[in-house]
């Protein structure tokens, strides 16, 4: 059997300052983590024992030509996903305007992300001599994220409220090598490349209407429109 143990210390510190009744300023620093895990594809029935060993200890090409236990054959243990860690730093302001009818929340942030996990395709040798093609999580390196978020809410009447939220995110790898990219292009360096599945711009528009039904009950209708770039 294989087991993993992880111990983490995730501190968080926040400073708030309220210069006026309608304005709050804050700054925070926080450490977050995602515990490590096993890529269970290496422990399926029918996987070759040499492939399991290579997954746990790293792959070394055999001295004589024979099937590689894992493709790509890397020195790192692909069966083990290391713990991801990140530090987040944020500055923000929360304000109320027009006698509280309009509220705005603005935040700018920076994230340092270490041991970031990314899905990658591997081929694992089976006892039958064929390969299982699958995806596993691999710790590719580190990335940095800079962004801002603006949330606004305006109470048009006591029963009608509209909102508009905007987010900007610049998320790029700070270091890392992707063997699949290297196989396809000859250059696996992902430094400076954008992190996948993170849109640069997001926008949410919405509205909420409440209508009295009885003296003790009311109905509401909420509608939202969400947009994000690729």
């Amino acid at each position: 059997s294989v087991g993993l143990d992880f111990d983490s210390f995730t501190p968080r510190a926040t400073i708030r300052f309220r210069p006026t009744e309608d304005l709050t300023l804050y700054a925070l620093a926080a450490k977050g983590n995602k515990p490590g895990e096993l890529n269970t594809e290496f422990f399926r029935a029918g996987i070759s024992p040499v492939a399991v060993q290579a997954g746990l200890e790293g792959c070394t090409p055999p001295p004589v030509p024979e099937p590689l236990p894992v493709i790509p054959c890397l020195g790192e243990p692909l069966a083990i996903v290391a713990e991801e860690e990140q530090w987040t730093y944020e500055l923000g302001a929360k304000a109320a305007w027009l006698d509280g009818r309009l509220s705005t929340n603005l935040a700018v942030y920076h994230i340092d992300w270490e041991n970031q996990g990314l899905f990658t395709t591997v081929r694992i040798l089976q006892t039958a001599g064929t390969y299982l093609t699958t995806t596993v999580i691999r710790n590719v390196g580190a990335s940095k994220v800079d962004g801002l978020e603006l949330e606004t809410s305006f109470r048009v009447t006591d029963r009608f409220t509209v909102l508009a939220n905007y987010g900007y995110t610049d998320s790029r790898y700070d270091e890392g090598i992707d063997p699949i990219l290297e196989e396809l292009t000859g250059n696996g360096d992902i430094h400076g490349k954008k992190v996948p599945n993170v849109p640069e711009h997001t926008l949410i528009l919405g509205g909420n209407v409440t209508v009295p039904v009885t003296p003790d009950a009311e109905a509401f209708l909420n509608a939202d429109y969400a947009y994000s770039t690729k």
Side-chain angles (χ1 to χ4, degrees):
S1 63
V2 179
L4 300 175
D5 292 317
F6 295 93
D7 295 301
S8 299
F9 175 57
T10 53
R12 178 186 179 97
T14 304
I15 299 175
R16 290 188 177 91
F17 174 57
R18 194 175 183 184
T20 69
E21 185 177 343
D22 296 327
L23 177 62
T24 300
L25 307 176
Y26 70 90
L28 69 84
K31 183 182 180 183
N33 76 307
K34 178 183 178 183
E37 58 183 309
L38 293 170
N39 279 314
T40 57
E41 299 295 327
F42 279 90
F43 307 101
R44 278 189 180 189
I47 296 298
S48 170
V50 296
V52 176
Q53 182 179 2
L56 292 172
E57 301 176 0
C59 177
T60 302
V64 295
E66 60 182 64
L68 293 172
V70 184
I71 301 174
C73 185
L74 303 175
E76 62 189 84
L78 289 178
I80 300 175
V81 184
E83 181 179 39
E84 298 182 39
E85 297 181 342
Q86 63 174 222
W87 273 99
T88 299
Y89 309 93
E90 183 175 324
L91 297 174
K94 300 182 179 182
W97 316 81
L98 304 176
D99 295 327
R101 293 173 60 195
L102 172 65
S103 64
T104 59
N105 297 332
L106 175 64
V108 294
Y109 58 87
H110 172 79
I111 300 173
D112 284 321
W113 197 344
E114 300 289 339
N115 283 337
Q116 185 174 5
L118 180 67
F119 282 106
T120 188
T121 302
V122 298
R123 287 181 285 171
I124 306 173
L125 183 65
Q126 302 178 97
T127 53
T130 57
Y131 283 94
L132 169 68
T133 301
T134 185
T135 58
V136 298
I137 300 175
R138 178 171 175 256
N139 300 102
V140 297
S143 65
K144 295 186 182 300
V145 183
D146 293 297
L148 66 85
E149 294 179 349
L150 174 62
E151 300 178 350
T152 64
S153 176
F154 180 61
R155 192 174 71 252
V156 182
T157 69
D158 290 341
R159 296 192 174 277
F160 178 39
T161 302
V162 294
L163 63 87
N165 300 335
Y166 168 75
Y168 168 78
T169 306
D170 182 20
S171 180
R172 298 178 184 272
Y173 289 108
D174 199 39
E175 61 181 62
I177 299 293
D178 184 349
I180 303 301
L181 181 64
E182 185 169 6
E183 180 180 348
L184 293 173
T185 68
N187 181 9
D189 184 10
I190 58 176
H191 171 265
K193 298 187 181 297
K194 291 188 175 184
V195 176
N197 303 317
V198 181
E200 187 173 7
H201 302 278
T202 58
L203 177 67
I204 297 177
L205 304 176
N208 181 277
V209 177
T210 59
V211 179
V213 178
T214 70
D216 299 319
E218 62 182 21
F220 71 90
L221 173 65
N222 189 81
D224 293 308
Y225 168 78
Y227 168 81
S228 64
T229 54
K230 65 178 180 179

